[in-house]
Amino acid sequence: MGITLPLALFEQAKRHATKDKPALLSWVHECPQDLAPHLLYQKAKDAFSGERFFWQNPEMTLTLAGFGVTEQYLAADKAKDAFSGLEDKINALKLRTVTNATEKGTGPLYFGGFKFDPERETDKEWQAFKDGLFYLPLFLVTKKGKEVFLTVNLVVYPDDEVKKLEAVRGQWEKIIDAKRPEMEVDALITAKELETDEFLENARDIIALLKDSEDLHKVVLSRRMGLRFSKQIDSGAVLQKMMDTQENSYFFVMEKGAALFFGATPERLVAVSEDKIHSSCVAGSARRGSTKEEDEQLGNALLKDAKNLREHHYVVEMIEETLQQFADDLTISSEPVLLKNRDIQHLYMNVHAKKRNDVNILQIARALHPTPALGGSPKDLARAIIRMKETSDRGFYGGPIGFIDTDFDGEFAVAIRSGLVIDALGVLYAGCGIVSDSVPEEELQETKVKFQPMLRVLGGNVE
């Protein structure tokens, strides 16, 4: 599939550029509707391994696949909040961009995520991601409904020649013409639960704190599963397995050199489209049944369970109070329903509001994160206890992950049901909400259930 070179737009970008401040040429080309973003992600492996990402929303109405990194934002400056740093980066980018983009989800768009707790020292395995990492891709394939678009983001200097465009077109044609690589996820050697005794001890300590405190209501405690593979796994195969085995989830993968962060999360943090805000309240969980009758029984019990309903209420209350600072006409579902994934089901409610003119999605995401579903209630106190009790850095687990454009429209999910693999070693994460009437052994069992989706994706044994 050839792409027409945007010669007039290229000349405009050259006029807009200076030697010290190059322009960004972001041109959009409509593609055949049978072009599949996840297949292109796989075909781009040889050319752009370590520089790819993929995103798909649960409704499958928007899919993004990016490869190549034209620019990146790495939040390594502890003196500046990562959300504010990205906001500054996007504002500066918009001033130097020349684009023909008219469709949302195309044009200059950053994809990436933020660390769960920037106040915590970054562990070795998360060093490449720091407090936040976002890519502006060289190639972005966007599927909206049935329509497919290619965005090419290219830095342009005043003296650039057309051969620069021709070289990029050649790169794209190599991807299109490449064979789909052989993919397999069968290299898992060991999967070992970590910190089991510490988790139980911490849960008991936190329950005691909750019973003694009038201010503390909930703390989300997490733990890890260590993974070892016989070889470096293929992120395209991981993506395909997630799409084949999971449902009602955001699918995301993000490569950073030899590191791969991936997941299939059911939880939206916030989406902004023009003046509309969407969020969701996901908390409380139960396993899926092995039969239709058992599944219905477990789901009905979850809808009536006082502990899980209380956990869910903390999330609803916090999201409602937070969004009232940024929005008007806020509406929330009247009562929770069941959100069912393959291995687990949750209590779920929708939230909609009208955004005020003077705020943007990054400000909203920063205020919402972490919700009581991933941190606890109240937020600051719960996160301080997590910092004290958990010996390992969560990294991007539980943090916001998603995309944002230069109009500050975009969407962030909460990066749960996720894992990190570097070369042939990896770790999965799972957490659960501890409240005053929690039973530590039951919470441990809940985390076992939450390991299962990604363990299944990686070829491990599931219960």
Side-chain angles (χ1 to χ4, degrees):
M1 182 203 79
I3 53 175
T4 304
L5 296 181
L7 299 178
L9 210 62
F10 179 61
E11 292 301 322
Q12 183 182 343
K14 288 172 62 175
R15 293 192 297 271
H16 193 68
T18 66
K19 288 184 178 180
D20 297 328
K21 291 185 179 180
L24 177 75
L25 171 60
S26 183
W27 94 81
V28 180
H29 178 87
E30 192 165 355
C31 299
Q33 293 185 359
D34 60 355
L35 209 61
H38 74 283
L39 296 181
L40 287 171
Y41 177 92
Q42 295 160 3
K43 291 171 75 169
K45 177 182 178 181
D46 287 344
F48 294 107
S49 180
E51 296 185 344
R52 294 179 293 168
F53 67 79
F54 183 91
W55 164 276
Q56 183 173 280
N57 65 10
E59 302 80 16
M60 294 184 286
T61 55
L62 178 66
T63 305
L64 304 173
F67 9 97
V69 178
T70 293
E71 293 186 6
Q72 75 170 22
Y73 169 69
L74 184 64
D77 182 3
K78 287 289 186 181
K80 174 170 278 193
D81 167 79
F83 292 88
S84 299
L86 180 59
E87 183 176 351
D88 292 345
K89 181 88 169 178
I90 290 171
N91 282 324
L93 178 72
K94 188 170 185 177
L95 291 176
R96 60 186 185 86
T97 296
V98 174
T99 183
N100 65 337
T102 57
E103 289 281 344
K104 282 294 178 183
T106 69
L109 176 152
Y110 273 101
F111 178 89
F114 294 102
K115 186 178 181 179
F116 175 80
D117 184 2
E119 292 188 33
R120 181 164 204 136
E121 185 176 350
T122 303
D123 283 355
K124 181 180 178 181
E125 63 263 32
W126 287 105
Q127 282 296 324
F129 296 83
K130 300 296 185 183
D131 290 352
L133 174 65
F134 284 79
Y135 290 156
L136 174 71
L138 173 60
F139 298 113
L140 172 69
V141 180
T142 304
K143 184 172 184 179
K144 294 179 66 179
K146 293 183 178 180
E147 294 183 302
V148 180
F149 302 91
L150 168 68
T151 301
V152 181
N153 294 305
L154 188 63
V155 173
V156 173
Y157 289 87
D159 55 355
D160 280 342
E161 299 178 1
V162 174
K163 63 183 180 182
K164 189 170 189 175
L165 291 181
E166 293 171 344
V168 172
R169 180 170 62 182
Q171 286 181 293
W172 172 250
E173 289 173 349
K174 283 183 179 179
I175 294 172
I176 290 293
D177 294 338
K179 290 184 179 180
R180 183 180 178 183
E182 294 290 329
M183 295 184 304
E184 56 183 356
V185 183
D186 62 355
L188 183 62
I189 297 175
T190 59
K192 181 181 179 181
E193 295 182 40
L194 305 176
E195 302 128 4
T196 301
D197 292 339
E198 291 87 342
F199 178 89
L200 290 169
E201 182 180 348
N202 287 337
R204 295 186 192 103
D205 290 346
I206 290 169
I207 290 167
L209 284 173
L210 288 158
K211 288 179 176 178
D212 289 342
S213 174
E214 295 182 359
D215 300 321
L216 184 64
H217 306 302
K218 175 184 175 182
V219 176
V220 177
L221 194 59
S222 74
R223 68 188 188 103
R224 304 178 301 159
M225 176 179 282
L227 309 172
R228 187 161 65 92
F229 300 88
S230 62
K231 57 185 177 182
Q232 186 171 9
I233 65 171
D234 187 324
S235 68
V238 171
L239 171 60
Q240 187 67 59
K241 195 71 178 290
M242 286 196 297
M243 297 175 75
D244 291 342
T245 61
Q246 302 303 309
E247 58 186 346
N248 296 328
S249 299
Y250 292 90
F251 299 128
F252 65 87
V253 295
M254 185 175 189
E255 297 178 329
K256 174 64 172 175
L260 168 66
F261 183 55
F262 63 96
T265 175
E267 188 169 345
R268 172 196 285 144
L269 182 66
V270 61
V272 171
S273 178
E274 296 179 343
D275 65 343
K276 296 179 179 63
I277 298 174
H278 305 283
S279 186
S280 60
C281 308
V282 181
S285 58
R287 66 179 179 87
R288 297 294 304 272
S290 56
T291 65
K292 182 179 179 181
E293 292 75 17
E294 184 190 23
D295 195 56
E296 288 181 357
Q297 183 181 12
L298 290 167
N300 289 333
L302 178 59
L303 288 168
K304 298 173 184 176
D305 183 74
K307 172 187 175 292
N308 282 290
L309 286 168
R310 189 162 71 255
E311 280 194 58
H312 190 262
H313 174 71
Y314 293 142
V315 176
V316 175
E317 189 176 55
M318 181 269 193
I319 289 178
E320 182 177 15
E321 289 178 358
T322 302
L323 288 183
Q324 284 173 346
Q325 305 170 41
F326 302 100
D328 301 308
D329 302 333
L330 190 145
T331 61
I332 301 178
S333 305
S334 57
E335 57 185 25
V337 297
L338 295 175
L339 175 65
K340 293 178 180 282
N341 303 122
R342 175 165 180 167
D343 299 285
I344 194 166
Q345 49 192 326
H346 301 280
L347 298 173
Y348 175 87
M349 290 171 66
N350 266 318
V351 183
H352 304 287
K354 183 178 180 181
K355 185 181 72 69
R356 294 175 190 153
N357 291 332
D358 58 342
V359 297
N360 67 52
I361 188 173
L362 289 174
Q363 295 162 345
I364 300 169
R366 177 174 50 198
L368 286 173
H369 171 70
T371 72
L374 266 297
S377 178
K379 175 166 57 173
D380 291 341
L381 180 56
R383 193 150 55 168
I385 293 170
I386 293 168
R387 204 176 293 134
M388 178 175 62
K389 290 294 183 182
E390 294 185 5
T391 56
S392 59
D393 174 22
R394 292 186 182 185
F396 275 26
Y397 166 70
I401 188 161
F403 68 93
I404 182 170
D405 66 21
T406 54
D407 293 325
F408 292 95
D409 284 357
E411 184 165 15
F412 287 99
V414 181
I416 56 175
R417 308 296 123 78
S418 60
L420 174 72
V421 176
I422 303 175
D423 293 322
L425 297 175
V427 61
L428 299 181
Y429 295 83
C432 58
I434 308 295
V435 293
S436 60
D437 56 351
S438 289
V439 177
E441 290 75 16
E442 292 179 0
E443 303 296 347
L444 182 71
Q445 185 60 37
E446 182 178 318
T447 59
K448 287 177 180 284
V449 174
K450 290 177 176 176
F451 281 134
Q452 288 182 9
M454 290 306 102
L455 190 59
R456 187 190 305 279
V457 164
L458 296 173
N461 294 321
V462 296
E463 297 178 358

